[in-house]
Amino acid sequence: MSNPERDRVAAFGRPEDGVLGASPWYRWGPYLSERAWGTVREDYSEGGTAWEAFPHEHARSRAYRWSEDGLGGICDAEQRVCFALALWNGEDPILKERIFGLTGNEGNHGEDAKEYWWYADAVPSHAWLRWRYHYPQRAFPYADLVAENGRRSRQEPEYELLDTGVFDDDRYWIVETDYAKADPDDMRIRVRVTNAGPETKTLHVLPTVWFRNTWSWEPGAPRPRLAALDGTAIGIGSGSPLVLQAAPGPDGSMPLQVYCDNETNTQRLFGSPGSAQYPKDGINDHVVDGAATVNPQREGTKAAFWYQVTVPPGETAHLSLRLAPQADPDAFGPSFDRVLARRQGEADAFYAGLTPAGTGAEDAMIMRQAFAGMIWGKQFYHYDVAKWLRGDPAQPVPPPGRQQGRNAGWRHLDAFDIMSMPDPWEYPWFAAWDSAFHAVALAHLDPAFAKYQLLLLCREWFQHPNGAIPAYEWAFDDLNPPVQAWAALQVYDIDGRRDKHFLGRIFAKLMLNFTWWVNREDREGNNLFEGGFLGLDNIGPIDRSHLPEGHVLEQSDATAWMAFYCLNLLEMARELELDDLAVKFLEHFALISEAMRGRDLWDEQDGFYYDRLRRPDGSSTPLKVRSMVGVIPLFATKALREDDFHRIRRHCRAFGDVSEEHVIHTGDGERVVAVGVAAHGRVRRILPHLFDEASFLSPHGLRALSRWHAEHPFSIDLPGGTATVGYEPAESSSGMFGGNSNWRGPLWMPLNYLVMRTLEDYDANLGGGVKIEYPTGSGQQRTAGEIAEDLRQRMLALYRRGPDGRRPAHGWVERLQHDPNWRDHLLFYEYFHGDNGAGLGAMHQTGWTGLLADLVARPVVRA
């Protein structure tokens, strides 16, 4: 048996080949989403109301057009064949086939998954995967969750599944699924079912295999077939067939086989007869209600083995299955357990090799679980925008309004690949700046896959012909911060600074994107950029993508991001020895820097950067909100030794004489030029705000908005009313951008991470000679490297168990803090409470919160 973690590194090939052209170990993976309903792709409504167009209630009965979902499932890289679990506790009105949650319009703080599951372990080849789920033994409180969250205001917290009492007295099942590959196409599957409750109970477990529906959309499209081979196996397809074998249950009996078709139950949903005699919900209706809705001929396009497992309290039952090209009469002999044990041992060795010497057990666990979430976040993504707008020949014609609606300007976009998603439930679609941060963490696991993710959004079937990079599925036209060049350099560095082919390829495409920014987002040609949304949701008093008529918002963050972009492209050009382009980006950087100095984005009295709103009459007002918008200019800084700077500058006409405020004297007497949009004197003015514990600095990192605004909210009068921003450390009270995230006080990992790495760069370039008071008012002077290390420790402390045994990220949820079945299983949240560090937002947002793994694997260099 080969070692896939070794084999995959040599076999992945070029980054541009991607998963489909990579090592055979990538053919099967955790590519099955945990939510396909309520997505833009499945929305064929006239008004673009995705949540209502395909709700959870439809999911069990209606065939998906673009992708599939399931519980802890896997599929092949083209999602032709899917495998996942279905469960039934004997009390629920439906099978548990997918994670339940509230839509953006149902939740008092936007969409939110209302279940508890974990990506417990994984390796990059997917030769070892573990998924864990806690399933109530009482009836799942679907209606209660909807009603109570609908009753609560935005000033009240989310009503979660634990709050309902359904887990009281430990009446729940622990379901763990392990996947181990004997070879790239031979998957051994072990399902462990533990009764955590006080009484003997029976759980119905239905390991399910099905085909993604590829035949209902075009007349004459071929239909695949599942059929019983005998009482122990399901035959899957033809041509290159597969077999799903099942071992007997704990009582020695074989499970029943039940079959239906992955097609819509049109009678149930729309009151009209359809072509499918045994539609998608046939297995559900048969198990739950005893209906005659499964095919007695034991064939179809969806099938399951139906186990009924009775387990005494505190005990565990094991179920075994095998997905492989052919059946093996000895599939469940001693070799089955050997495969599982070996792959788990290889995973232990793989992560031991990634863990720096001296790392504590807590940090090693945080890193491993964060990396597991990153791997489980690799999802099949299929979206042909032109076909989606046009509709399918065998289906009703979409409403005419769609042709001018969402994503209508992106008809070239044709995605069919494996992509890193922010969250397989709440965000089962890519977002451009999320993907950049994902790549940094993924580079430790799988540099080729990380490079592929960055290159993919720049390929001609993603990047717009005008150079724009698609932002996210709900609005490709929107703008995310241009962090791709920075991420490419990070990945290049983590991979040993050796792959100049990758760097050159992405540099060429990013130059197109940079030109698009300059031409489209600098309306007045004054080197101040508008940008709009830029991923920061409700950080300001107004929706920055939809301003009042005739108003222009000159953005501190958009302009600083562009300066940051210039410096990273400058570094790439220097690494590629493209001197003329290095000069070009230094010149453009100088123009942006001059614009930020001369156009009132800096407030001398406050010592801070603000956005400025310009009205139709020519007047303007600074939006004096002390937020990350005014901190982002710190990122656009590069420290160069004075002789190096003058050598580059020799051909750069945009720079005049370097004033003394740009020159820093290091402790060893050298002169260093700090090239930045914020001159050194301004950096010195911003940092006291940033490091003030009454302002930005919290015990767990940096708040997105200063705590000062708790007592001093900012308001501005606009056409139609007054807009206000105040400090909100937890969930948002605003409906802006759906209200499902909040930048008005909580901690966000990506910007904390960028501040930390920026300080690390300061320290590396300035030689530790410059010291800063930290925290503000403490009288303690520290180097930038020491401060970066302290911020790293604060961020990791979100997940470390403190002296009181509590992990701050688990907040006030006592079961997560102390119960042995829960406390060491980590949920990686979208953001964190600004004062106590409790996890908030999407609770499987390992995407950019997965940067925690990088913080362990790549500590601060100079501390």
Side-chain angles (χ1 to χ4, degrees), residues 622-638:
L623 303 185
K624 290 196 170 188
V625 180
R626 295 181 189 174
S627 73
M628 280 291 168
V629 166
V631 174
I632 288 168
L634 296 179
F635 306 157
T637 301
K638 189 171 187 62

Side-chain angles (χ1 to χ4, degrees), residues 172 305 389 467 653 722 795:
Y172 65 95
F305 289 107
L389 289 167
R653 298 180 180 179
T722 299
M795 287 186 273

Side-chain angles (χ1 to χ4, degrees), residues 225-228 259-261 278 295-303:
R225 180 175 175 269
L226 301 168
Y259 291 77
C260 64
D261 282 303
Y278 305 103
N295 191 337
Q297 302 301 312
R298 297 203 302 173
E299 63 178 21
T301 50
K302 178 181 177 182

Side-chain angles (χ1 to χ4, degrees), residues 533-549:
F533 164 56
L534 284 177
L536 303 185
D537 291 12
N538 55 12
I539 200 163
I542 54 178
D543 182 343
R544 301 194 298 170
S545 292
H546 302 91
L547 300 174
E549 182 73 25

